[in-house]
């Protein structure tokens, strides 16, 4: 269910007028179809199994699957609602990051602030949820510590910085469109590393996800090219006006000329003659 993130981000960005959408435009249709395809492909990988595809590493081996023992309908609905709220929160965070980068275009500094505030919030939640358990704060040199370090450095530090750099130019929809691709990478790596079985449903879902990503990238690239053309035209016009001014061509301008005739009316005839004589007399 967490793969509905691109769709939620797309709708939220459109509501906030961060994403251009024209139904009659081909690139807008491509973005919509690509977003729906990525979500549908992720659901296809999750829900559809199909026959097993034997790989050279995973032949005759499989890992035991976890079954929901004691899972009730109440727990399923509660979990689904919490995942949906989490997806809305993550989509809001992506759009907020894009809005912040417009007025604060410092990706590295913004990444540091996000990590610091996330650490503080996580510590507060841990103190509330794990109160009375001092063992959870102990640091052991094991796989858990390695997972925490990897998550903090790669999944948070590098990921937020790269997201900010790309998001500043291409927007939040382009960044979140790649989130379902993680399912494809996990499926391929688990088949070789953990010897999990690759099913036909996973392969079909992966192909749909890749096709959806291509449509989104194609639609966004067309938007990026059109914006670049508009910017180039504005730059060219400004350069032409500057060059014409440097060459001495006439540039239309508007000015206000004020003629003060009150002083001339009050001057005597002799003063007027003396003033004209001073203007005609050549200077030394």
């Amino acid at each position: 269910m967490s793969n509905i993130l691109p769709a939620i981000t797309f709708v939220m960005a459109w509501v906030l007028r961060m994403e251009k959408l024209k139904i009659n435009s081909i690139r807008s249709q491509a973005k919509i179809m690509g977003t729906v395809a990525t979500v549908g492909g992720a659901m296809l990988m999750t829900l559809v199994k199909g026959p097993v595809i034997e790989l050279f590493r995973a032949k005759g081996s499989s890992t035991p699957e976890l079954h929901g023992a004691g899972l009730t309908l109440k727990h399923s609905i509660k979990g689904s609602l919490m995942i949906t709220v989490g997806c809305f929160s993550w989509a809001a965070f992506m759009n907020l990051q894009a809005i912040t980068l417009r007025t604060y275009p410092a990706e590295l500094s913004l990444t540091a602030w996000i990590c610091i505030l996330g650490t503080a919030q996580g510590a507060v939640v841990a103190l509330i949820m794990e109160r009375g358990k001092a063992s959870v704060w102990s640091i052991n040199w094991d796989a858990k510590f390695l997972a925490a370090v990897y998550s903090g450095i790669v999944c948070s530090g590098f990921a937020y910085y790269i997201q900010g750099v790309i998001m500043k130019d291409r927007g939040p929809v382009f960044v979140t469109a790649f989130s379902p691709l993680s399912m494809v990478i996990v499926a391929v790596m688990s088949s070789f590393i953990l010897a999990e079985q690759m099913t036909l449903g996973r392969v079909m879902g992966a192909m749909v996800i890749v096709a959806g990503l291509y449509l989104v990238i194609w639609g966004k690239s067309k938007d990026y090219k059109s914006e670049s053309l508009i910017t180039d035209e504005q730059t060219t016009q400004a350069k032409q006006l500057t060059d014409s001014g440097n060459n001495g061509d006439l540039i239309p301008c508007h000015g206000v000329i004020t003629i003060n005739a009150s002083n001339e009316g009050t001057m005597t005839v002799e003063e007027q003659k003396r003033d004209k004589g001073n203007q005609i007399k050549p200077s030394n």
Side-chain angles (χ1 to χ4, degrees), residues 21 25 61 74 107 111 156 172 187 191 219 227 229 264 278 280:
L21 182 62
S25 176
S61 61
K74 181 181 178 181
E107 299 87 357
T111 301
S156 295
S191 299
E227 293 176 359
L229 289 175
E264 187 176 354
N278 293 331
I280 298 173

Side-chain angles (χ1 to χ4, degrees), residues 185-217:
I185 299 174
V186 169
V188 174
M189 293 182 65
S190 62
S191 299
F192 293 98
I193 299 175
L194 302 177
E196 288 188 357
Q197 293 180 345
M198 179 69 72
T199 60
L200 182 61
R202 287 186 176 184
V203 175
M204 293 175 60
M207 294 174 63
V208 174
I209 289 175
V210 172
L213 282 175
Y214 176 78
L215 290 175
V216 174
I217 294 172

Side-chain angles (χ1 to χ4, degrees), residues 1 40 44 48 81 106 123 225 249:
M1 287 188 61
L44 186 64
V48 179
L81 291 176
K225 289 180 180 179
D249 296 338

